[in-house]
């Protein structure tokens, strides 16, 4: 009888610990910080400006995603999205094309040349460290930015769309310093 009671107590304690651990992990998602701006490059191509907090670890992943109820599936030139892993040497502020990851990054993207008027886009990067067992990324925080095609189409060179408004590069840097 005593062994049975001890087993029951251990089982309840283990179950309680598992539930507490599940609740703790479920409630602890990494912070999302407004650290991405979108603007036009010198030749009028759309660019994303990624600015991690100073002293941050490596960027582990960068992705662009189109989120819409309706798609422009018939138009192969419309950006649907992509995800890629930069080389370990990538740290600090970075400006990249919205339409495809840089050539030396690990990932693939369908060639795109324009944005969809439907829905919105999300650009994000992950700061953290890569674990080998199991292969995963321990995320410290995510740098994010969201925009619609109409938000960025009329921007002049030197203007950036970030956190719901137009900014200069200097204003964006000040904004990210405040966010960090």
């Amino acid at each position: 009888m005593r062994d049975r009671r001890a087993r029951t107590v251990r089982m309840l304690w283990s179950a309680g610990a598992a539930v507490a651990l599940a609740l703790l992990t479920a409630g602890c998602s990494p912070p999302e910080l407004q650290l991405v701006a979108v603007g036009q490059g010198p030749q009028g191509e759309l660019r994303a400006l990624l600015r991690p907090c100073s002293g941050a670890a490596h960027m582990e992943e960068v992705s662009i995603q189109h989120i819409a109820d309706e798609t422009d599936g018939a138009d192969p030139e419309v950006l649907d999205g992509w995800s890629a892993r930069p080389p370990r040497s990538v740290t600090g502020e970075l400006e990249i094309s919205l339409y495809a990851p840089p050539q030396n990054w690990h990932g693939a993207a369908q060639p795109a040349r324009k944005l969809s008027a439907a829905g919105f886009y999300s650009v994000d990067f992950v700061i953290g460290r890569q674990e080998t067992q199991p292969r995963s990324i321990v995320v410290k925080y995510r740098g994010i930015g969201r925009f619609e095609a109409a938000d960025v189409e009329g921007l002049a060179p030197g203007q950036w769309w970030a956190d719901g408004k137009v900014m200069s590069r200097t204003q964006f840097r000040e904004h990210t310093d405040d966010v960090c």
Side-chain angles (χ1 to χ4, degrees):
M1 181 74 147
R2 188 173 203 174
D3 286 340
R4 188 175 183 191
R5 184 178 300 154
R7 263 190 308 202
T8 303
V9 167
R10 278 194 306 265
M11 191 171 70
L12 289 173
W13 187 87
S14 294
V19 168
L21 184 59
L23 288 173
L24 186 62
T25 15
C28 294
S29 58
E32 292 184 344
L33 307 175
Q34 297 285 330
L35 301 174
V36 176
V38 177
Q40 292 194 19
Q43 279 72 32
E45 76 282 8
L46 286 176
R47 312 283 293 167
L49 183 58
L50 316 174
R51 190 155 194 270
C53 298
S54 64
H58 297 88
M59 279 188 206
E60 294 293 339
E61 184 176 20
V62 176
S63 63
I64 297 173
Q65 183 178 11
H66 178 223
I67 300 154
D69 293 333
E70 302 171 20
T71 64
D72 294 331
D75 189 346
E77 292 189 343
V78 169
L79 177 63
D80 189 41
W82 54 264
S83 179
R85 298 186 87 142
R88 299 292 298 164
S89 59
V90 173
T91 59
E93 184 176 295
L94 180 65
E95 188 177 326
I96 60 172
S97 170
L98 273 185
Y99 296 116
Q103 296 222 342
N104 62 339
W105 290 22
H106 301 285
Q110 294 290 88
R113 297 170 41 119
K114 60 185 178 180
L115 299 177
S116 172
F120 68 95
Y121 286 89
S122 174
V123 180
D124 70 86
F125 62 88
V126 173
I127 297 293
R129 70 180 190 281
Q130 191 170 14
E131 295 289 314
T132 54
Q133 297 295 334
R135 285 188 56 94
S136 62
I137 298 172
V138 176
V139 178
K140 185 174 180 182
Y141 65 87
R142 289 183 178 280
I144 62 167
R146 292 184 174 80
F147 66 95
E148 295 179 5
D151 296 332
V152 298
E153 287 174 342
L155 293 176
Q159 292 183 320
W160 296 90
W161 180 265
D163 200 17
K165 58 187 170 252
V166 176
M167 301 180 188
S168 68
R169 187 180 288 250
T170 301
Q171 289 170 320
F172 176 65
R173 286 178 176 154
E174 290 169 354
H175 165 77
T176 59
D177 288 345
D178 290 344
V179 168
C180 290

